[in-house]
Amino acid sequence: MKRVIKKKIIKKLQNIMAVCFCFVSLIIMGLKITHYADSNYSFFSNAAACLIMPVGAKSYICENFKYEYINGEVFKLEYSDKSELENKEKIIPTEESAAAGETNRPTADSDGQPRYSIIEKQITGNGTFYENFWVKNSTSIDINIPDLLSKRPDAVIELNKDVQVLIVHTHTSESYIDKDLGYYPADFYPRCTDPDYNVVAVGEAIKTQLENAGIKTLHDTTVHDNPTYNGAYSRTAQTIINNLQNHPSLKVVLDIHRDSIGNDESGRVKPTFTYNGKKAAQVMIISGCDEGGSWYFPEWEYNLRLALRIQQMGEKMYPGLMRPLNFSVSEYNMSITRNSLLLEVGSDVNTFDEAVYSGELLGKVLSEVLLDLTE
């Protein structure tokens, strides 16, 4: 009997020591728990650390990170970052959301939640103005806009033949608010994995217009930011490379995103313009370069040639559609092949309908530009 009791005591001591070891490990690695919401905990693995998430808790704060439970999933984000919603890294999905029948579509439910102000405006007048459009050059490189516009992009578009354009989404789950409330609900989370309600739908609207013009387009809807946000660009790079290998006829690569501008304190920015009495989200082109030579990106000018033509045509066809073109020290997979661009369609404050409408208009602009590059 004494031996049995002794074994049970030893077993309990071992369990206690295991829990203590986990807490000590967290403290050593800088993950000091400072707030709990419940006395029951779920354990998740996060890299080399042991993460303890309170069951039923919506969020809790560690020394340098904040963890949030949203729509049945646990997310890690930099707590010091003002743009918290754009820096979430999903840790692990749970089965509770499916059991509760939660929808994956983002909705703006304002009941009992704080409201943040929205600054709705047409973003323009920033950078260098040429003819009918603006270019914001945040690099130390002097660019000659008329000279670059006179140079043909390195692409010969073949109509009604093999795939010419590839559309991808690095942050595939980026989405939009579902309705215009005049304010931004604090509990709204602008990401979802349903392609009918995220940035994939914008890509599909672009593809439709390109194909209507006879420009065959491949829309790769691979999800790159789920189940983890970190490393999305590396995964997208592999998707692009695979498609280039499988479709050597590809001439243009477009990575379509949704922007996030402003913050809760100063207000969230909604970039809009109106065409034919209908409100649409503004579009920003990002064309990158390598100032210091740390990336292998010697052919960035070919991307900028195409970007400038799209910018010019966009403002010609739909004045106000284009935010200033952002020429910056950035790579974002644009070094993989010529004629690669990143485009931000609207922000998380734009409605889904506004963004899809802009995708339609942008698709028509792209069609005009690429039709001018046929033989």
Side-chain angles (χ1 to χ4, degrees):
M1 178 65 72
K2 288 183 180 180
R3 286 185 177 180
V4 173
I5 294 173
K6 186 177 180 179
K7 285 183 178 180
K8 288 183 178 180
I9 293 173
I10 292 172
K11 185 66 174 178
K12 286 184 179 180
L13 287 172
Q14 288 175 337
N15 291 337
I16 293 171
M17 288 176 66
V19 173
C20 290
F21 176 77
C22 184
F23 274 90
V24 170
S25 298
L26 288 170
I27 293 170
I28 290 173
M29 286 181 281
L31 297 175
K32 183 181 178 182
I33 305 299
T34 58
H35 172 70
Y36 295 114
D38 202 318
S39 59
N40 299 311
Y41 303 97
S42 295
F43 290 78
F44 301 91
S45 62
N46 175 31
C50 175
L51 171 64
I52 302 176
M53 183 68 186
V55 173
K58 287 191 174 181
S59 68
Y60 77 104
I61 301 168
C62 293
E63 185 171 293
N64 297 316
F65 298 95
K66 181 178 180 183
Y67 293 85
E68 290 190 359
Y69 177 83
I70 302 174
N71 292 336
E73 297 166 345
V74 180
F75 290 83
K76 180 182 79 174
L77 57 106
E78 292 283 354
Y79 190 59
S80 60
D81 192 340
K82 296 297 183 182
S83 302
E84 291 180 348
L85 289 174
E86 293 305 302
N87 291 287
K88 285 188 171 66
E89 176 187 354
K90 187 185 295 181
I91 302 300
I92 188 169
T94 71
E95 297 178 357
E96 297 172 22
S97 59
E102 293 179 3
T103 177
N104 202 8
R105 180 180 182 180
T107 57
D109 183 4
S110 60
D111 294 341
Q113 295 293 326
R115 301 177 178 183
Y116 300 123
S117 61
I118 290 177
I119 304 170
E120 183 172 347
K121 63 180 181 179
Q122 182 174 316
I123 299 176
T124 187
N126 188 1
T128 300
F129 186 75
Y130 178 76
E131 292 188 348
N132 67 333
F133 64 90
W134 291 88
V135 176
K136 179 183 177 182
N137 182 0
S138 59
T139 77
S140 61
I141 299 173
D142 290 328
I143 57 172
N144 187 321
I145 295 175
D147 180 58
L148 287 167
L149 280 170
S150 68
K151 294 178 179 179
R152 179 187 174 95
D154 184 32
V156 177
I157 301 299
E158 300 176 280
L159 298 180
N160 301 308
K161 290 188 178 181
D162 294 330
V163 175
Q164 305 293 296
V165 178
L166 170 65
I167 297 174
V168 297
H169 306 278
T170 294
H171 298 147
T172 324
S173 65
E174 288 177 332
S175 57
Y176 304 86
I177 201 164
D178 61 320
K179 53 190 173 183
D180 191 349
L181 299 172
Y183 58 87
Y184 193 90
D187 63 342
F188 176 66
Y189 181 59
R191 291 185 183 278
C192 78
T193 54
D194 188 336
D196 290 333
Y197 298 107
N198 62 24
V199 74
V200 172
V202 177
E204 196 62 24
I206 296 171
K207 174 186 175 180
T208 297
Q209 296 305 317
L210 287 169
E211 297 221 317
N212 286 346
I215 303 168
K216 192 168 182 181
T217 302
L218 172 60
H219 186 193
D220 192 316
T221 60
T222 300
V223 178
H224 300 106
D225 61 348
N226 189 298
T228 177
Y229 187 83
N230 287 359
Y233 278 98
S234 296
R235 290 186 287 276
T236 304
Q238 192 57 57
T239 294
I240 293 171
I241 292 169
N242 290 343
N243 278 300
L244 289 171
Q245 291 174 342
N246 294 331
H247 304 280
S249 60
L250 280 169
K251 309 295 194 325
V252 177
V253 177
L254 306 174
D255 189 357
I256 308 299
H257 289 244
R258 181 265 300 148
D259 209 349
S260 181
I261 318 167
N263 54 56
D264 297 340
E265 289 77 16
S266 61
R268 292 181 174 270
V269 179
K270 177 180 181 178
T272 58
F273 89 109
T274 301
Y275 180 72
N276 277 347
K278 189 175 179 180
K279 193 180 294 185
Q282 281 189 292
V283 176
M284 178 177 71
I285 303 172
I286 296 179
S287 184
C289 70
D290 181 8
E291 273 186 333
S294 56
W295 309 312
Y296 184 73
F297 195 2
E299 298 183 327
W300 55 263
E301 183 184 309
Y302 290 96
N303 298 340
L304 185 56
R305 291 181 194 177
L306 179 62
L308 287 168
R309 291 196 176 201
I310 297 170
Q311 185 79 6
Q312 185 180 54
M313 184 62 71
E315 285 300 281
K316 178 182 178 181
M317 294 176 65
Y318 311 108
L321 170 65
M322 310 302 293
R323 290 165 55 187
L325 189 158
N326 185 357
F327 177 56
S328 60
V329 181
S330 57
E331 193 268 337
Y332 298 131
N333 291 326
M334 288 181 279
S335 66
I336 295 175
T337 186
R338 294 179 181 181
N339 305 311
S340 296
L341 296 170
L342 187 152
L343 296 96
E344 302 270 12
V345 179
S347 77
D348 54 341
V349 192
N350 286 103
T351 66
F352 176 77
D353 290 340
E354 290 167 354
V356 172
Y357 181 41
S358 292
E360 177 186 334
L361 300 179
L362 178 59
K364 292 178 180 180
V365 171
L366 291 167
S367 297
E368 287 299 315
V369 171
L370 297 183
L371 286 172
D372 194 43
L373 298 179
T374 57
E375 289 183 318

